[in-house]
Amino acid sequence: MEKPNILLIMSDQHRGDCFGFEGRGVKTPHLDLLVQQGTRFSACITPNVVCMPSRSALLTGMLPLTNGVHDNGIDLDESLSANGFAGTLSRSGYDTRFIGKAHFSSNHSYGNRPTGRCENIPSSHLFADDWHGPYMGFDHVELMQLGHNYWLPERPPGGLHYERWYHADGLGNLKDVLYKQALAPFTDAAQTHNSALPAAWHNSTWVGDRTVSYLRQQGLQQRHARTSAKAPQPFCAWVSMADPHHPFDAPAPWCWMHRPEDVDLPKHRSLDLDRRPWWHRAALENTPGGTPESRKVRQEYSRMKFDTDAQLRDITANYYGMVSLVDHQVGRILSALQEEGLADNTLVVFTSDHGELLGDHGLMLKGPMHYEGLLRVGLVVRGPGVGAAQVVQDPVSTLDLAATFGDYAATPILSAVHSTSLRPLLEGQSVAQRDHAFNEWRLGPSRCGVSLDLRTVRTQTAKLTLEMTSGAGEMYDLHNDPHECNNLFDDINSRGLREELMQRIMSRPDDILANLPEAVGPA
């Protein structure tokens, strides 16, 4: 029996409710169809709410405090990644590929010192144009360095595959000018503009192009193997787009797809810090640590506010446009999969690394406020044996994908000690019910001026976040309070729920690293 192909498609900073199938007015026709063809998890959370830890946890199947990548700026240990799902499946005969934004290593480094990693900006010139890996267990990679145009694409000899492609035709200067040019209607919202960069040059389109090309190649190879009476070599590909991460800069025509006056705004969209645990205010108001350069980035790029509903509408409409551009690339990829005869034997997974606050409680972007908009992500799976039009409400995590891929490939993933296969849930086995999922984040003062050790547990109907050092916390009854307005952590009538969730937090396996690795760059 042929092993299935595995295709993981990821967006970046994409809320779990920003899909058409979730009832919001976001145009995602291809993902809506994928939901009808497969199974979606309505209570999937990320193991960490920022990029590097969430991605490293997914690759290894280890929680952040065990794999060591507990915040941005910490490079994933390459010996661990070798035993993650990509390295393990590669050794078992899979063709493994990464296309797009990886972010397993820090892009920026203190003092601009080279770390020797390909994703590190001061080191990228060391990697020749024809270098394609291996990297982090993947046999072949086609990478973008950042994908967020707050920093314009690096110029050769720096940059990676996308950046070098962007500049290869000699039009890089023109593209930079067009990217920064704002198209009407104009807005005074922070980090938001309708970009004049043609969509053909956008990094999401480049990821779609490279993935379609790869699938054409795989289709040809697998058909040739069958005509030669050989077992085709299966593939495992992680396809990663950098949108809808800020800055909010959708290109035309995607920037016009959702009218600001039509978008839905959060019911509660004003700061209510007096009702929240102490660290919410500290993270917003304290001065970030780190170097003067990293402090400037954290204050200007990572802290963002809106003053009016009109500004939030402009931001949201642009964010929706970025989501729709991602959906368009998903449609192209799924069409190629079908046209190449690969669809029936491919496990297709769509998810994101983490969410986006997008105005919830007056907050934007991400931070140590584990509201559902940031914690919950979409997770949709289609493939052989997967139930169609099925919704699983059990709390799961993207951490579980490593074991899931190993299960379908009949190859245990060595590093996936905290990952549990989703296959029984995908195939409708009622005995496979799950009762909670974990999230953890240990961050130092360089990010937002305060050190925190946060642990979160999410059940189907409730959630508790505990700051381990101070003992302070927040707890929400998600069934009766879906907008997370009432913090029940100190509510005398909710002691039973608090005790239950605290016990779940304390059930985390006792394998936290005694000596966590040092950061090589700003968080």
Side-chain angles (χ1 to χ4, degrees), residues 198-362:
W201 290 331
H202 192 277
N203 53 59
S204 288
T205 304
W206 179 82
V207 171
D209 289 345
R210 299 312 306 144
T211 305
V212 168
S213 177
Y214 175 66
L215 294 176
R216 300 289 185 215
Q217 170 195 333
Q218 287 298 310
L220 181 65
Q221 290 179 356
Q222 294 199 13
R223 288 193 300 274
H224 183 265
R226 290 190 183 96
T227 59
S228 304
K230 298 178 181 178
Q233 181 186 22
F235 68 82
C236 174
W238 184 339
V239 175
S240 177
M241 284 169 272
D243 278 354
H245 190 289
H246 66 109
F248 305 110
D249 53 10
W254 308 97
C255 58
W256 299 316
M257 185 166 285
H258 303 84
R259 299 193 309 168
E261 57 267 33
D262 293 338
V263 302
D264 42 356
L265 299 184
K267 182 177 179 182
H268 299 282
R269 52 187 182 274
S270 58
L271 287 175
D272 52 2
L273 299 176
D274 291 340
R275 304 170 65 187
R276 309 299 159 190
W278 65 269
W279 72 80
H280 285 220
R281 183 181 297 278
L284 291 173
E285 298 180 356
N286 285 15
T287 300
T291 65
E293 294 79 15
S294 66
R295 186 178 306 121
K296 184 175 187 291
V297 170
R298 283 292 163 229
Q299 290 175 320
E300 297 180 4
Y301 175 64
S302 301
R303 285 179 175 174
M304 175 182 168
K305 66 176 184 175
F306 58 93
D307 296 316
T308 66
D309 278 359
Q311 290 176 339
L312 183 56
R313 287 187 181 279
D314 288 341
I315 294 166
T316 303
N318 198 295
Y319 180 84
Y320 284 7
M322 297 167 82
V323 171
S324 292
L325 176 56
V326 168
D327 179 81
H328 178 70
Q329 305 310 323
V330 171
R332 296 179 59 217
I333 291 166
L334 296 181
S335 292
L337 200 68
Q338 186 68 42
E339 291 161 7
E340 294 299 323
L342 299 167
D344 289 346
N345 195 40
T346 298
L347 187 75
V348 177
V349 177
F350 181 89
T351 192
S352 185
D353 55 354
H354 54 78
E356 153 69 51
L357 289 164
L358 202 65
D360 289 352
H361 299 275

Side-chain angles (χ1 to χ4, degrees), residues 70-285:
H70 57 90
D71 199 358
N72 284 351
I74 301 167
D75 289 349
L76 177 62
D77 186 330
E78 292 184 89
S79 65
L80 283 181
S81 70
N83 290 322
F85 76 77
T88 305
L89 294 187
S90 176
R91 290 189 295 274
S92 74
Y94 272 75
D95 180 277
T96 57
R97 182 162 300 218
F98 197 106
I99 300 172
K101 176 188 172 181
H103 214 184
F104 302 123
S105 303
S106 185
N107 304 124
H108 300 92
S109 46
Y110 289 125
N112 213 32
R113 293 189 297 272
T115 66
R117 298 280 185 99
C118 62
E119 294 189 81
N120 174 241
I121 292 172
S123 302
S124 58
H125 69 281
L126 301 173
F127 295 81
D129 289 351
D130 61 355
W131 177 83
H132 287 283
Y135 182 58
M136 292 294 166
F138 292 90
D139 301 321
H140 189 106
V141 296
E142 297 179 70
L143 303 175
M144 70 175 76
Q145 193 139 49
L146 283 169
H148 316 310
N149 288 326
Y150 179 85
W151 298 273
L152 290 167
E154 287 288 312
R155 296 176 180 275
L160 293 171
H161 304 96
Y162 168 70
E163 291 78 14
R164 296 181 190 185
W165 170 87
Y166 179 95
H167 289 288
D169 58 5
L171 298 176
N173 288 339
L174 172 63
K175 294 171 187 175
D176 286 353
V177 169
L178 290 171
Y179 166 74
K180 291 186 288 186
Q181 180 183 335
L183 301 174
F186 306 112
T187 179
D188 62 351
Q191 295 196 53
T192 306
H193 77 286
N194 300 324
S195 175
L197 180 73
W201 290 331
H202 192 277
N203 53 59
S204 288
T205 304
W206 179 82
V207 171
D209 289 345
R210 299 312 306 144
T211 305
V212 168
S213 177
Y214 175 66
L215 294 176
R216 300 289 185 215
Q217 170 195 333
Q218 287 298 310
L220 181 65
Q221 290 179 356
Q222 294 199 13
R223 288 193 300 274
H224 183 265
R226 290 190 183 96
T227 59
S228 304
K230 298 178 181 178
Q233 181 186 22
F235 68 82
C236 174
W238 184 339
V239 175
S240 177
M241 284 169 272
D243 278 354
H245 190 289
H246 66 109
F248 305 110
D249 53 10
W254 308 97
C255 58
W256 299 316
M257 185 166 285
H258 303 84
R259 299 193 309 168
E261 57 267 33
D262 293 338
V263 302
D264 42 356
L265 299 184
K267 182 177 179 182
H268 299 282
R269 52 187 182 274
S270 58
L271 287 175
D272 52 2
L273 299 176
D274 291 340
R275 304 170 65 187
R276 309 299 159 190
W278 65 269
W279 72 80
H280 285 220
R281 183 181 297 278
L284 291 173
E285 298 180 356

Side-chain angles (χ1 to χ4, degrees), residues 467-478:
E467 203 287 301
M468 301 294 289
T469 304
S470 66
E474 57 186 326
M475 182 176 74
Y476 300 102
D477 178 346
L478 299 174

Side-chain angles (χ1 to χ4, degrees), residues 62-71 74-76 80 513 516-517:
M62 286 182 176
L63 285 163
L65 291 170
T66 301
N67 69 42
V69 186
H70 57 90
D71 199 358
I74 301 167
D75 289 349
L76 177 62
L80 283 181
L513 291 180
L516 290 166

